[in-house]
Amino acid sequence: MTRILSQTKSASVNPLKSSQPLGAALAFLGIDGAVPLFHGIQGCTSFALVLFVRHFKEAIPLQTTAMDEVTTILGGSDNLEQAILNLKTRTNPKLIGVCTTALVETRGEDCAGDIADIRLKRAEELAGTEIVLANTPDFSGAIEQGWAKAVSAMIEGMTRPGERARQSKKIAILPGWNLTVADIEHLREMVEGFGLNPVILPDVSGSLDGTVPDWWVTTTYGGTSVEDIRELGAAAHCIAIGEHMRHPAEVLQKMTGVPYVLFESLTGLKDADRFVSLLSVISGESVPASVRRRRAQLQDALLDGHFHFGGKKIAIAAEPDQLYQLATFFTGMGSEIAAAVTTTDMSKVLERVPAASIQIGDLSDLEALAGGADLLVTHSHGRQASQRLGIPLMRVGFPVFDRLGSQHKLSILYQGTRDLVFEVANMFQANRHAPTPEKLDPFRKRETPDGPR
């Protein structure tokens, strides 16, 4: 069984994780006509905004309640009300996603009560705009938990409760935060290929896919519609991707009775087969010829690529579900997980990661554990460790700010797994080291009882 090693340092040397509010804001950015609102000081919002802009290279509609020294002591309800009214007046969003920060959470503010009062007092002025609260303190969890909390809050606050007439072709899909724009687009195309109608919550492929609108838009300009969220209860099935999406799927099932199936990963031949088989069962259709062709291409890629993976040592630092996704991929290809570091011990999926131990920590822990590894796998902040250790870096997760197109990299189902095999195998080939004479002849300098020969 995998050992989970607790954090031992009192400070983060080279940070690995991103905060819960950032994860919640990312989820709200996947809704059409939405504006995420950080309830806290301006610095919290500015830091998250910089990370978003550097990663996606897009304009990000992220706002703040801008609390100061006085409101920190006396309470920030007035700032929250004023911020919501300003957003309504200036941008008229369909959804305002309020993400709490450590400041208001530590102070113990009743944000849910404040928002209820604002809705009641300003009902006429706020008509046509949904307000959803996600309690996301910075000091707990990471981006994974923030994303899941925001999705749960949207379902609880907006989806119509109760049993509904099921639409047999309608499927609710709750993707994990680690699925890229390309992953979600490919996921939708796969589901639609079986004649099904997917409703993806959240859908960042519509709002963060790099398209440029013909006019200036002050909110998100794509993603899941508010009406689709309200009507999730009419779905015949729900598919959740990632252990952290189990709770949102359970919330939807409890409210509407929609049954769910959880996939811990969609990377690899086995998991892709399970997903495609499920779609075939739900739709009653046979697997399309194009999907069978992609599967055959993946099989050939696995055959071609496994020579380069066998015996390689991999060091990974990522959020729990992404760590599981990548670790199972590498071990399935014949590699060994030499070092595994993650952000939080709050996920049960860590117990199933194929590694001897997992360190809860930061990138300095990865650097200390990764000596002798053949590949580092983490986000862009791992580049310094890569340079110091002389080990190539494969950039994954968030943020990736020193490479273009990270949101358009595909890593799921048959095509994404094939691309992943090629990417990693090419990195191994590009960084191949010539064997030394000592390695070619291990007895070259052997010692004997009588002394060296």
Side-chain angles (χ1 to χ4, degrees):
M1 184 176 178
T2 305
R3 292 184 301 132
I4 313 298
L5 307 178
S6 301
Q7 173 66 274
T8 55
K9 300 196 300 287
S10 57
S12 183
V13 178
N14 187 4
L16 168 64
K17 77 173 183 178
S18 297
S19 66
Q20 276 202 81
L22 188 147
L26 181 57
F28 288 129
L29 289 172
I31 309 303
D32 184 34
V35 176
L37 175 64
F38 273 25
H39 190 16
I41 61 174
Q42 288 179 311
C44 295
T45 310
S46 299
F47 186 73
L49 185 59
V50 167
L51 289 176
F52 277 137
V53 171
R54 294 184 77 189
H55 179 84
F56 289 106
K57 310 293 190 295
E58 304 292 337
I60 304 295
L62 185 60
Q63 297 296 330
T64 178
T65 58
M67 292 179 64
D68 56 19
E69 297 89 341
V70 175
T71 53
T72 299
I73 297 171
L74 299 181
S77 59
D78 290 341
N79 282 50
L80 180 60
E81 180 178 353
Q82 192 61 51
I84 290 174
L85 291 175
N86 285 343
L87 286 177
K88 176 63 177 178
T89 302
R90 297 177 182 179
T91 66
N92 192 28
K94 299 174 183 175
L95 169 68
I96 297 175
V98 180
C99 315
T100 61
T101 63
L103 180 65
V104 295
E105 291 285 351
T106 303
R107 191 180 179 280
E109 293 200 21
D110 181 14
C111 297
D114 292 340
I115 290 176
D117 291 341
I118 293 168
R119 280 174 173 159
L120 184 63
K121 185 168 59 173
R122 304 285 190 172
E124 186 175 343
E125 297 167 82
L126 296 175
T129 297
E130 296 281 351
I131 303 173
V132 174
L133 170 67
N135 291 106
T136 51
D138 304 70
F139 50 76
S140 174
I143 188 172
E144 194 171 275
Q145 285 73 37
W147 172 283
K149 285 183 178 181
V151 177
S152 296
M154 285 188 279
I155 294 172
E156 290 174 332
M158 299 168 63
T159 301
R160 293 191 176 100
E163 295 280 348
R164 307 281 306 283
R166 298 277 186 258
Q167 298 179 23
S168 61
K169 298 295 183 179
K170 183 176 181 178
I171 296 182
I173 298 180
L174 307 180
W177 78 273
N178 53 308
L179 267 64
T180 65
V181 166
D183 288 334
I184 293 178
E185 287 180 343
H186 184 55
L187 188 66
R188 180 190 295 106
E189 291 170 359
M190 176 69 80
V191 174
E192 290 176 345
F194 283 84
L196 299 171
N197 175 30
V199 177
I200 302 174
L201 175 66
D203 183 4
V204 295
S205 72
S207 56
L208 296 172
D209 62 343
T211 57
V212 180
D214 295 330
W215 58 89
W216 174 248
V217 182
T218 54
T219 65
T220 56
Y221 49 87
T224 315
S225 70
V226 169
E227 189 58 32
D228 281 342
I229 300 174
R230 290 197 184 106
E231 298 300 325
L232 278 178
H237 299 274
C238 172
I239 298 175
I241 304 166
E243 179 63 35
H244 64 294
M245 299 308 290
R246 184 184 297 275
H247 182 257
E250 289 175 343
V251 170
L252 180 62
Q253 184 180 46
K254 183 177 180 180
M255 287 182 58
T256 64
V258 176
Y260 75 91
V261 176
L262 180 76
F263 288 84
E264 292 174 335
S265 171
L266 290 182
T267 300
L269 182 63
K270 184 184 295 185
D271 290 319
D273 282 346
R274 284 185 58 227
F275 183 76
V276 169
S277 297
L278 177 63
L279 294 182
S280 181
V281 170
I282 292 174
S283 65
E285 302 287 339
S286 60
V287 178
S290 60
V291 176
R292 295 179 183 272
R293 185 167 179 268
R294 286 175 182 164
R295 187 181 190 277
Q297 290 174 338
L298 173 57
Q299 287 179 305
D300 184 66
L302 294 174
L303 179 62
D304 296 340
H306 83 277
F307 298 104
H308 303 282
F309 284 79
K312 291 292 193 299
K313 295 182 178 180
I314 314 298
I316 308 176
E319 295 280 336
D321 271 309
Q322 191 168 44
L323 175 63
Y324 175 84
Q325 173 196 13
L326 295 168
T328 52
F329 165 74
F330 279 109
T331 55
M333 293 296 296
S335 299
E336 172 191 348
I337 306 302
V341 180
T342 193
T343 57
T344 173
D345 60 357
M346 299 173 68
S347 177
K348 293 181 179 179
V349 79
L350 294 177
E351 299 173 0
R352 296 184 290 280
V353 172
S357 63
I358 300 174
Q359 176 68 56
I360 309 299
D362 55 24
L363 292 175
S364 70
D365 294 309
L366 178 70
E367 187 172 350
L369 296 169
D374 297 290
L375 183 67
L376 295 184
V377 183
T378 188
H379 53 60
S380 289
H381 289 301
R383 66 196 187 283
Q384 295 96 339
S386 171
Q387 293 169 357
R388 285 191 287 264
L389 295 172
I391 301 172
L393 172 65
M394 176 183 171
R395 290 163 173 83
V396 299
F398 181 92
V400 176
F401 49 78
D402 57 345
R403 295 291 186 275
L404 285 176
S406 59
Q407 66 269 32
H408 295 292
K409 288 177 62 176
L410 189 61
S411 64
I412 64 168
L413 301 177
Y414 301 128
Q415 186 174 333
T417 305
R418 183 198 65 183
D419 292 350
L420 203 55
V421 169
F422 291 156
E423 179 185 2
V424 178
N426 288 334
M427 292 185 72
F428 286 144
Q429 290 189 86
N431 293 275
R432 182 179 294 161
H433 299 287
T436 63
E438 289 77 10
K439 288 185 177 180
L440 289 173
D441 183 6
F443 301 108
R444 186 182 183 90
K445 294 183 178 180
R446 67 177 180 176
E447 295 185 359
T448 64
D450 299 330
R453 287 187 180 179

